[in-house]
Amino acid sequence: MTAPSQLLSPRIMTRFRPPRFGLDGSPIGELPGPDGDAIATATIDAAYQAGIRFFVTSPLYGRGQSERRFGTALARRPRGEFLVSTKVGRLADGSVDFSADGIKRSLVESSDRLELDVDLVFLDDPGEHTQQALDEAYPVLRELREQGAITAIGAAMDDWRLLDRFVRDTDLNAVLLAGQYSLLDRSAAPLLDRCQARGVAAIVSGVLTPQVLQTDRPEHATDAATILARRISAVCERYGVSLPQAALAFPGRHPAVTSVLIGAASQAEIRADAALVRQSVPAALWNDEELLRLLD
């Protein structure tokens, strides 16, 4: 699943490239009721059948339910065929612990729920605990990577500036950015430029926003995101491309972006997203002068 390591700079950086699309495990963890487990397994199976081989979960997703469900569904698959990641620092019970012992405990608990070895481990949105994450949590993960216990280290946040600090000051393999780089919001471009320079894989989530998925975008709308979505959609339609299709394809145009995460809680959602992914976007769309002005 991963490319060979190589020396990218005087600091040791691992070239880590997860698959182009991944399944975000948050909706999987939130599936309710007695049928939740069965629906989760069917959804993950549909994702696998659609070619998805990258699965992102967390102790927080359904208080551990997401990890358990991924472990159950993936147990029947050859382990060398897929990559699984989880997060540390925020535990299943909602507590926050970025201490060295807390990170070790979190990983043990996640591995027990998954019943799988974890490939990629993300520091989960440390926020006010950033210094502790840098001083205590990150060194633990770095040691585990050096021992071969995990393949890669990442940081996951919705604040691109804080992620930029981690890319600058540590030897991360990957970042997971929630929002802030999509057709409607490209504010995180400086972070992606740094990731490209440092050889850090950028994983993007949250590209199928409500404004992108909305089928009726009224002319009288006043919010900037809906107005921009309507204008970009009009350009896309001239090329036979839907706005969701373009939104899924857009992040990967930046060379640092290796993966886009898709959230789904049913087989139907996976199949719909897979159909969008399979449809090619004409190169002419990305060179359209009106679209370039809208994206500027």
Side-chain angles (χ1 to χ4, degrees), residues 217-266:
R217 302 180 185 91
E219 291 292 332
H220 61 268
T222 58
D223 65 290
T226 298
I227 292 170
L228 181 58
R230 186 176 64 239
R231 291 174 177 172
I232 292 177
S233 180
V235 177
C236 290
E237 288 172 4
R238 296 203 294 267
Y239 294 87
V241 175
S242 70
L243 190 59
Q245 181 187 350
L248 283 171
F250 173 76
R253 292 183 55 76
H254 193 290
V257 176
T258 63
S259 313
V260 176
L261 297 188
I262 299 168
S266 71

Side-chain angles (χ1 to χ4, degrees), residues 23-26 55-59 61 65-68 70 84-87 114 122:
L23 181 62
D24 181 349
S26 178
F55 303 96
V56 179
T57 184
S58 164
Y61 299 164
Q65 284 279 65
S66 176
E67 290 180 320
R68 185 177 60 79
F70 269 113
V84 64
S85 75
T86 193
K87 300 176 181 179
L114 283 161
F122 290 105

Side-chain angles (χ1 to χ4, degrees), residues 2-263:
T2 61
S5 300
Q6 64 185 59
L7 191 63
L8 298 179
S9 74
R11 300 173 73 185
I12 295 176
M13 303 292 288
T14 301
R15 176 64 75 179
F16 176 76
R17 294 189 66 83
R20 182 180 171 209
F21 289 97
L23 181 62
D24 181 349
S26 178
I28 294 293
E30 299 303 326
L31 286 166
D35 296 330
D37 288 351
I39 296 171
T41 296
T43 302
I44 297 165
D45 283 347
Y48 207 93
Q49 291 161 9
I52 290 177
R53 296 293 185 270
F54 180 26
F55 303 96
V56 179
T57 184
S58 164
L60 275 183
Y61 299 164
R63 298 177 67 89
Q65 284 279 65
S66 176
E67 290 180 320
R68 185 177 60 79
R69 287 167 171 171
F70 269 113
T72 298
L74 293 173
R76 296 171 287 122
R77 307 293 183 179
R79 185 61 186 92
E81 287 188 0
F82 62 88
L83 183 151
V84 64
S85 75
T86 193
K87 300 176 181 179
V88 293
R90 297 182 180 273
L91 306 179
D93 62 5
S95 63
V96 178
D97 191 347
F98 284 90
S99 70
D101 287 342
I103 297 304
K104 294 174 184 176
R105 181 173 68 254
S106 180
L107 273 177
V108 168
E109 292 173 355
S110 290
S111 294
D112 287 346
R113 284 188 289 264
L114 283 161
E115 296 187 8
L116 293 168
D117 293 331
V118 178
D119 301 293
L120 166 62
V121 180
F122 290 105
L123 294 164
D124 188 9
D125 192 18
E128 64 185 20
H129 306 280
T130 291
Q131 197 58 52
Q132 185 182 30
L134 288 167
D135 294 342
E136 298 185 42
Y138 168 72
V140 169
L141 298 182
R142 183 179 58 196
E143 182 178 357
L144 290 172
R145 183 179 63 186
E146 290 171 353
Q147 294 170 351
I150 60 176
T151 302
I153 304 169
M157 302 173 213
D158 59 4
D159 181 346
W160 75 262
R161 291 178 177 82
L162 187 52
L163 272 179
D164 191 60
R165 178 181 175 187
F166 276 79
V167 173
R168 185 189 67 226
D169 294 344
T170 71
D171 290 336
L172 289 183
N173 302 101
V175 297
L176 172 50
L177 176 67
Q180 299 185 308
Y181 195 74
S182 68
L183 274 174
L184 305 184
D185 180 2
R186 292 157 304 286
S187 55
L191 165 67
L192 299 185
D193 292 343
R194 189 184 296 277
C195 286
Q196 181 184 3
R198 297 278 292 162
V200 175
I203 302 159
V204 176
S205 69
V207 300
L208 294 179
T209 62
Q211 294 86 357
V212 167
L213 295 173
Q214 186 178 1
T215 55
D216 178 24
R217 302 180 185 91
E219 291 292 332
H220 61 268
T222 58
D223 65 290
T226 298
I227 292 170
L228 181 58
R230 186 176 64 239
R231 291 174 177 172
I232 292 177
S233 180
V235 177
C236 290
E237 288 172 4
R238 296 203 294 267
Y239 294 87
V241 175
S242 70
L243 190 59
Q245 181 187 350
L248 283 171
F250 173 76
R253 292 183 55 76
H254 193 290
V257 176
T258 63
S259 313
V260 176
L261 297 188
I262 299 168

